[in-house]
């Protein structure tokens, strides 16, 4: 049986000290949450809860959003879709070409969409951090699932702000808590506590 936390383990964890392996697993777990929640958090902050940003940063973000024709949800969806296109292209191409396409494509497309005022500078940074966080997760299946789950969270964030993100995360957590793998609870050893 496989549990949720098994997806964050790698074979290198068993060859290092316990504290180092645990630290690396915690980094992978934080990167999981970053990949899942960062675009939705950006949308919630820009659309509803901008008062939590320090005043100095608000002016910088406001300047980058001034000439954008799209709402934050469309802006985030465009960038996430572009990131998925680059990722799929990198998988299908030979390794040397794939690395070049990934780096050059990301730079060229990122610069072009910002200069064309399709997306803000801040959104490019958010998508870059999200992409880097998704590459940290060792399991391809888990990485794919959180990239897909990011889109409904972005929609909920655009509709309800942080409340929508919390509702989405609670629904995901409830679903994960009800799953079993060959009779073993999926969130073991965290939940249920009576096993």
């Amino acid at each position: 049986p496989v549990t949720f936390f098994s997806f964050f383990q790698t074979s290198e964890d068993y060859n290092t000290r316990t504290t180092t392996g645990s630290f690396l697993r915690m980094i992978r777990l934080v990167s999981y949450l970053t990949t899942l929640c960062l675009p939705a958090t950006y949308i919630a902050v820009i659309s509803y809860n901008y008062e939590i940003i320090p005043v100095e940063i608000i002016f910088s973000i406001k300047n980058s959003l001034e000439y954008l024709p799209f709402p934050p949800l469309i802006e985030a969806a465009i960038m996430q879709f572009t990131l998925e296109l680059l990722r799929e292209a990198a998988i299908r191409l030979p390794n040397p070409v794939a690395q070049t396409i990934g780096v050059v494509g990301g730079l060229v497309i990122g610069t072009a969409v910002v200069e064309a005022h399709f997306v803000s500078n801040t959104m490019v940074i958010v998508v870059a951090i999200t992409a880097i966080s998704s590459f940290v997760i060792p399991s391809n299946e888990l990485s794919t699932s959180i990239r897909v789950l990011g889109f409904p969270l972005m929609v909920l964030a655009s509709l309800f702000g942080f409340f929508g993100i919390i509702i989405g995360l609670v629904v995901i957590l409830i679903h994960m808590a009800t799953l079993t793998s060959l009779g073993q609870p999926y969130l073991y050893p965290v939940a249920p506590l009576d096993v």
Side-chain angles (χ1 to χ4, degrees):
V2 66
T3 62
F4 175 71
F5 298 102
S6 300
F7 288 116
F8 297 101
Q9 296 176 353
T10 62
S11 57
E12 294 87 21
D13 292 344
Y14 298 103
N15 298 327
T16 60
R17 297 174 84 78
T18 305
T19 53
T20 306
S22 298
F23 176 71
L24 293 175
R25 287 181 192 167
M26 291 305 294
I27 287 177
R28 292 181 200 123
L29 189 60
V30 168
S31 69
Y32 171 84
L33 294 173
T34 302
T35 303
L36 186 62
C37 297
L38 189 60
T41 303
Y42 169 79
I43 291 170
V45 166
I46 295 301
S47 300
Y48 291 98
N49 307 98
Y50 55 86
E51 66 274 356
I52 67 171
I53 304 173
V55 176
E56 299 82 13
I57 298 175
I58 286 180
F59 292 125
S60 174
I61 293 175
K62 180 65 177 159
N63 287 339
S64 70
L65 294 173
E66 192 170 353
Y67 300 108
L68 295 181
F70 304 117
L73 175 64
I74 302 300
E75 175 188 10
I78 287 171
M79 288 306 293
Q80 289 290 90
F81 184 70
T82 305
L83 176 66
E84 293 301 321
L85 287 176
L86 284 173
R87 187 175 282 136
E88 283 298 314
I91 291 172
R92 308 284 180 251
L93 293 171
N95 270 348
V97 177
Q99 291 174 356
T100 306
I101 291 293
V103 172
V104 174
L107 289 173
V108 169
I109 290 173
T111 304
V113 294
V114 168
E115 288 179 0
H117 298 293
F118 283 148
V119 297
S120 66
N121 300 331
T122 314
M123 187 65 224
V124 172
I125 294 169
V126 166
V127 168
I129 293 171
T130 303
I132 291 169
S133 296
S134 72
F135 294 141
V136 172
I137 299 165
S139 170
N140 186 39
E141 292 84 9
L142 185 65
S143 179
T144 303
S145 69
I146 59 171
R147 291 193 323 256
V148 170
L149 284 174
F151 287 101
L153 278 183
M154 290 190 306
V155 171
L156 287 170
S158 70
L159 294 174
F160 306 111
F162 280 116
F163 182 69
I165 295 173
I166 298 299
I167 294 298
L169 290 176
V170 166
V171 168
I172 292 169
L173 189 62
I174 289 171
H175 174 68
M176 288 171 51
T178 60
L179 294 176
T180 59
S181 176
L182 297 176
Q184 183 80 6
Y186 187 62
L187 290 180
Y188 180 80
V190 174
L193 297 175
D194 58 348
V195 174

